[in-house]
Amino acid sequence: MTTDALVDASVSADRPSARVLALSARAEAVLNAHPRTRPLVADLPRADTSPLRIALLGPYSAGKSTLVAALLRLPAEDVGTLVDAAPKTHEATPYDWDGATLVDLPGTLSGDDEHSEAARRGVRGADALMIVTTSELPGEAETGAILQVLGPDGFADRSVVVVNKMNAENSDRDVVLDEIRARLGPFADRVPVVPTDARDYVDAVNDPSLPAADRAALVTESGIDALVAELRRVVAPGVGGVRPRAQAFELLRVLADAERRWELEGEELDAARTALKAGEAVTAARDLVLSALDRESGAVADRITAAGGRAAAGISDKDGTLPDRVADAVQEELEDTMGGFDAKFSSSVRTAFDTLVAEYGTHVPEPDPWANDLEAFGTTPVAAPKETSPLAQGTKEAARKGAKASAAKAGEWLGKVRDGGQGSGSAAAAVVDKLSKHGVGRKILDAGGKVTDRAGKFKPWGKTKAAGKVAGAAGKVQWALAVMGPLTDLAGVAKEQREWMAVNKRRQEIRDHFAEQARAQREALSEAGARYVSAWIALVEQSLDGLTERGAGINAEREAALSAIANLRDETTRLTGPTR
């Protein structure tokens, strides 16, 4: 059946029935999208102009069939056939009555699952309810069933509670009715309670020996006429007024059934849990590293800004120059800053990696070395040193001797070392050759014991690793020189302008320069670090696909379906209004 078949084209779009049927059409598309929920499409409300259905709900022996006989005004010979037939009502049985349909349902709370299921289906197909109990008062289970249909099932404004067998001996009408209303709780003022005795009514109208006055008195006392009046009031709005509300609540019940169909179990549940757990673990790893990236890049920016403040404060009031000792200290601070970032950021990556490995073992790929990490080649990063590393210092000295010129040319040379690769003949390899000719140089290169053997000779690939370290150190030294660049032009400031304000202006320019460098460096580190993390996490997710692919697919389908169902449920609930 197409979704168009659900919509009654003769009903205006602003009518409640049209709105409910439009939602039902959308629900058909959602339920049809997956085999789990496809069977429920048959239960969705359809356009229906048949007479209103009033279902009789109650336990066995409450007198439902006798009430039907009374409402139908059956003659004596038909009453016996209806009431005394064996077996008793075991499926929903319809009867035409006053332009509506009375539906006699099997008794509830009998312990018969088939009868209970038939009663449940009857309630779901009803537009209104006649809830039947007796003067013996409903027990706890029966009271709970009544409150269920009045509240969550939405029949509070479409029901009549009938207390049958009220003329039995030892029945105090007022006490019984007060107790029934108390058990209805919040629905006591919304649902009419009608005391009846259907047997007295049937006997009275079918006993030809009764005087007319006695018959009339028994009929009045039986409460059947009062029940007829209440039933007519309930169905007075007609099909167009009562049915849309019934259909809206039935749509809610179908959607609830659909949600239950998505409750996973067995292998599917295990697969979904594995995928969810792995997803949470990967997300936690990503968050841990990105949090460290944000924290440490902020620390770098703060240290650069502070270094600029020290450089500006170090300018001489006398001649406007920056003492070498101050310049060297600032440069070393900058180099140390980058080394500290590399170590701490790499440490966070290693922590995230180790955590994933503890759970998923060799399925987790090791991250590539962070590009600026001095200890990336097979060693675990440690906290940044408090003073300039010997390797950075050695590379700096090599730059000064190799360039034998200004800071700008030294920076160019360092760039060649940084970008020239790590192989034989590279600038980095040349620095390694020079450093390795001396015992001190070899110790600098072999800080982690990964490069040379005890005899001072390079291990296989040891020279390449050493050259990689040198290239990394060169990058930091070059970066520090670039940040320091504006300080190299300070010598003539005081000579050209002796005014104190000129010196102060230059100090502020330097502070501003370092602040801009701090901002730019934090931004660059954040972007580069985020790319690095994304690339690694993508590899992790790809590697874990074998463990999570099936469960991830189930979870994705489930989340999409439940989201669509929830949206439909919310819209339908707004049509039904609040249930109290």
Side-chain angles (χ1 to χ4, degrees), residues 18 58 95 112 117 140 165 259 267 285 299 344 374 401 509 528 537 556 565:
Y95 301 92
D112 188 313
E117 178 62 20
E140 184 176 344
K165 302 182 180 181
E259 287 179 326
E267 291 183 0
K344 291 177 181 178
L374 295 182
K401 293 177 182 179
E509 289 174 350
I537 291 297
I565 292 169

Side-chain angles (χ1 to χ4, degrees), residues 147-484:
L147 295 178
Q148 169 66 33
V149 295
L150 293 178
D153 290 345
F155 282 95
D157 299 313
R158 296 176 287 127
S159 293
V160 177
V161 172
V162 180
V163 187
N164 200 25
K165 302 182 180 181
M166 280 295 291
N167 292 340
E169 294 183 7
N170 303 320
S171 292
D172 188 317
R173 177 176 297 237
D174 292 336
V175 171
V176 170
L177 294 180
D178 286 345
E179 182 59 29
I180 291 289
R181 291 189 180 95
R183 297 188 188 193
L184 292 179
F187 305 105
D189 296 332
R190 296 175 61 186
V191 181
V193 179
V194 180
T196 64
D197 198 303
R199 174 55 64 182
D200 276 5
Y201 178 88
V202 167
D203 291 345
V205 297
N206 288 293
D207 186 352
S209 65
L210 277 177
D214 292 343
R215 180 179 294 106
L218 286 173
V219 166
T220 299
E221 289 180 5
S222 72
I224 297 300
D225 288 343
L227 174 60
V228 168
E230 286 294 348
L231 291 176
R232 285 175 175 167
R233 181 191 61 78
V234 169
V235 301
V239 172
V242 177
R243 182 153 292 155
R245 187 168 179 83
Q247 289 181 324
F249 276 101
E250 176 58 11
L251 177 55
L252 288 175
R253 288 189 284 271
V254 173
L255 294 173
D257 289 345
E259 287 179 326
R260 283 189 286 271
R261 292 289 180 98
W262 277 104
E263 293 176 359
L264 304 177
E265 57 185 18
E267 291 183 0
E268 285 190 327
L269 179 59
D270 292 339
R273 283 176 173 171
T274 297
L276 186 61
K277 183 179 179 182
E280 291 172 347
V282 172
T283 297
R286 179 194 291 112
D287 291 347
L288 184 151
V289 179
L290 290 180
S291 177
L293 174 63
D294 181 69
R295 181 178 63 253
E296 298 307 327
S297 64
V300 167
D302 290 343
R303 292 184 69 177
I304 293 173
T305 301
R310 285 192 290 276
I315 293 176
S316 171
D317 289 332
K318 182 178 180 181
D319 58 10
T321 61
L322 184 69
D324 288 344
R325 59 179 178 77
V326 177
D328 290 343
V330 170
Q331 184 178 341
E332 290 177 2
E333 170 70 12
L334 295 176
E335 294 165 16
D336 181 59
T337 294
M338 287 308 302
F341 171 84
D342 292 342
K344 291 177 181 178
F345 179 58
S346 295
S347 178
S348 70
V349 175
R350 176 60 61 173
T351 298
F353 170 70
D354 289 343
T355 301
L356 289 174
V357 167
E359 184 67 34
Y360 299 104
T362 56
H363 286 285
V364 182
E366 187 168 0
D368 290 333
W370 167 244
N372 294 327
D373 182 16
L374 295 182
E375 298 296 328
F377 296 91
T379 60
T380 302
V382 295
K386 295 183 179 179
E387 58 186 24
T388 304
S389 72
L391 180 58
Q393 188 63 37
T395 304
K396 186 192 305 182
E397 292 299 325
R400 288 173 181 169
K401 293 177 182 179
K404 297 181 181 178
S406 65
K409 289 190 176 181
E412 293 175 6
W413 185 88
L414 288 163
K416 293 179 181 179
V417 174
R418 181 197 64 189
D419 301 329
Q422 302 161 207
S424 177
S426 66
V431 174
V432 170
D433 287 338
K434 291 180 181 180
L435 290 174
S436 64
K437 292 178 181 179
H438 307 282
V440 174
R442 287 194 294 272
K443 289 182 179 180
I444 291 172
L445 292 171
D446 202 22
K450 302 292 183 179
V451 175
T452 65
D453 58 20
R454 293 181 181 179
K457 295 181 180 180
F458 286 112
K459 295 180 179 179
W461 302 106
K463 191 171 184 179
T464 301
K465 291 183 178 180
K469 290 189 174 187
V470 168
K476 294 174 180 59
V477 175
Q478 184 194 34
W479 171 79
L481 287 177
V483 176
M484 294 286 290

Side-chain angles (χ1 to χ4, degrees), residues 523-539:
E523 186 175 289
L525 288 173
S526 296
E527 291 178 357
R531 288 194 300 271
Y532 170 83
V533 174
S534 294
W536 176 54
I537 291 297
L539 289 175

Side-chain angles (χ1 to χ4, degrees), residues 481-505:
L481 287 177
V483 176
M484 294 286 290
L487 303 184
T488 63
D489 298 325
L490 293 178
V493 171
K495 293 179 180 178
E496 295 172 7
Q497 299 181 14
R498 297 292 183 178
E499 293 87 351
W500 176 80
M501 291 183 63
V503 175
N504 273 354
K505 181 180 179 181

